[in-house]
Amino acid sequence: MVRVILTFDVEQDCPPFASSTRGMEEGLPLVMDLLEDKGIRGTFLFTGRMAEEFPELAKRAVKNHELGCHGFEHERFDRLPRDEVRRRLSEAREILSRFGEIVSFRAPNFQFPDEYYPILKELGFLVDSTKAKHKGWKGGVSEISGLLEVPATTTSIVTRLPWTLQKTFHKRFEDPIVYIFHPWEFVRMSRRLRPDCWVGTGKNALENLHRLIEFHLSRDAEFLTLGEFYHEYQKLKREGEL
Ligand SMILES: [Zn+2]
């Protein structure tokens, strides 16, 4: 049976190319409506800033899904010194922890140097999903500096392709399949931005997400959050099944 983890990097619109928050205002509520209607829990990795600005959405993520962390303000951690990385992550964590327990993390732009992983561990994170197969990561699920690494499977460019084209990919992805979406993909973004910020955005993206869910439900896939995957992994490890 295939396991599917739907993750959402919850940030301002297509950072750093825009600074509006239409995805938060109009897109994310539609996504949460869809998942809740299907009885599926998503993993919503918020920046600290977005949780401060949209506390009702962060509360809804805790209540019906999983709330995780996507940095403080979508910073490039690979360009920051260690002390600054720790300061920003701890600030983001402090904000997000006001809403509920935080265990999952993904760095913005898939950039998080290996030598910084112990900082995540120190701050209490348990699972990371920054490594990405579409960025050349060859490993599967593994442990890095005491964190469980659950690599992302595919870029959101794929999930915005016409359904007939993208469907062939979904059949071939290996378990566990970790998808990445963003709130701004579910509103029609301006064509003045670079193409990957607007191609396939809007109603089309929501329809594709709906089809994706139906497709995996028809294969009896198990939908779970990053935190749930972590606990399932630990249980299998204890039972000696890994
Ligand atoms: Zn991001």
Side-chain angles (χ1 to χ4, degrees):
M1 186 172 68
V2 70
R3 291 164 297 178
V4 176
I5 304 173
L6 301 179
T7 71
F8 299 83
D9 290 353
V10 180
E11 57 196 31
Q12 66 272 34
D13 297 339
C14 205
F17 308 103
S19 54
S20 51
T21 50
R22 287 178 52 230
M24 299 298 297
E25 290 147 30
E26 303 162 39
L28 197 57
L30 295 175
V31 168
M32 287 183 167
D33 286 347
L34 171 63
L35 266 62
E36 288 159 18
D37 187 48
K38 297 284 171 194
I40 290 169
R41 285 155 53 80
T43 306
F44 291 89
L45 304 153
F46 274 59
T47 61
R49 282 256 192 257
M50 288 302 107
E52 272 181 330
E53 280 184 44
F54 299 91
E56 294 308 317
L57 291 172
K59 281 181 203 161
R60 187 169 168 186
V62 168
K63 184 165 177 262
N64 299 333
H65 305 276
E66 180 191 335
L67 178 68
C69 178
H70 190 47
F72 176 61
E73 52 184 359
H74 213 269
E75 52 278 274
R76 282 282 300 257
F77 287 107
D78 58 321
R79 294 176 181 165
L80 294 171
R82 175 176 287 269
D83 286 355
E84 188 62 13
V85 169
R86 183 182 286 107
R87 194 185 68 75
R88 283 165 176 261
L89 280 175
S90 119
E91 192 161 356
R93 204 179 153 78
E94 200 272 312
I95 294 164
L96 294 167
S97 298
R98 289 177 209 152
F99 298 94
E101 193 195 7
I102 306 298
V103 299
S104 302
F105 175 75
R106 176 179 295 122
N109 301 89
F110 305 101
Q111 299 295 340
F112 200 77
D114 283 359
E115 60 266 32
Y116 289 167
Y117 273 68
I119 302 174
L120 294 174
K121 177 79 180 165
E122 268 170 46
L123 292 174
F125 290 100
L126 300 174
V127 49
D128 174 75
S129 183
T130 296
K131 305 287 188 202
K133 293 184 181 172
H134 61 277
K135 294 270 178 185
W137 173 252
K138 299 277 185 266
V141 173
S142 52
E143 289 175 40
I144 303 178
S145 301
L147 266 96
L148 185 66
E149 181 64 38
V150 186
T153 303
T154 184
T155 158
S156 61
I157 289 290
V158 169
T159 47
R160 281 187 266 147
L161 289 170
W163 177 252
T164 44
L165 277 180
Q166 58 167 285
K167 192 178 169 187
T168 54
F169 288 97
H170 303 303
K171 287 182 191 161
R172 277 185 269 151
F173 288 143
E174 284 169 20
D175 169 85
I177 309 176
V178 180
Y179 290 105
I180 304 171
F181 302 91
H182 307 86
W184 48 266
E185 294 176 275
F186 302 96
V187 294
R188 187 176 276 283
M189 295 284 285
S190 164
R191 291 191 175 221
R192 283 192 297 272
L193 295 164
R194 50 182 242 179
D196 59 341
C197 289
W198 61 263
V199 170
T201 59
K203 207 164 143 258
N204 161 73
L206 196 66
E207 284 168 5
N208 277 346
L209 176 58
H210 195 162
R211 290 191 186 104
L212 178 82
I213 290 171
E214 291 296 337
F215 171 76
H216 285 300
L217 284 173
S218 74
R219 307 164 81 201
D220 286 328
E222 180 191 6
F223 284 86
L224 69 180
T225 69
L226 280 173
E228 287 166 350
F229 183 88
Y230 171 85
H231 291 295
E232 188 182 288
Y233 180 92
Q234 296 302 334
K235 183 169 173 277
L236 291 173
K237 200 172 148 186
R238 275 195 305 275
E239 291 166 358
E241 294 196 23
L242 286 176

